[in-house]
Amino acid sequence: SWGIKDSFTAAGLYLSDLGAGAQTDATERRAASKYYGGSSSYSRSVMNRAACIQTFIDAGTMSASCQDLIF
């Protein structure tokens, strides 16, 4: 059966195939844009959320603007 873990794995593999595996801001942004049909506004949104989540992982806190963005 198909589950949420399968969905996350598939999305990760697809984004990697689109170039995100290089793990640079530019390649991740380009892969996110391709994932959603070329939308640069979508890729900006994805990268902003990713930055908020990474800051939370690194610092253990999240700004009010990130909380509004994530939640």
Side-chain angles (χ1 to χ4, degrees), residues 19-37:
Q23 297 182 346
T24 67
D25 186 63
T27 58
E28 289 176 0
R29 187 177 303 274
R30 199 167 24 257
S33 179
K34 288 178 184 177
Y35 186 86
Y36 201 68

Side-chain angles (χ1 to χ4, degrees), residues 28-49:
E28 289 176 0
R29 187 177 303 274
R30 199 167 24 257
S33 179
K34 288 178 184 177
Y35 186 86
Y36 201 68
S39 172
S40 61
S41 62
Y42 176 76
S43 65
R44 273 191 305 277
S45 173
V46 167
M47 297 305 289
N48 288 339
R49 283 177 172 81

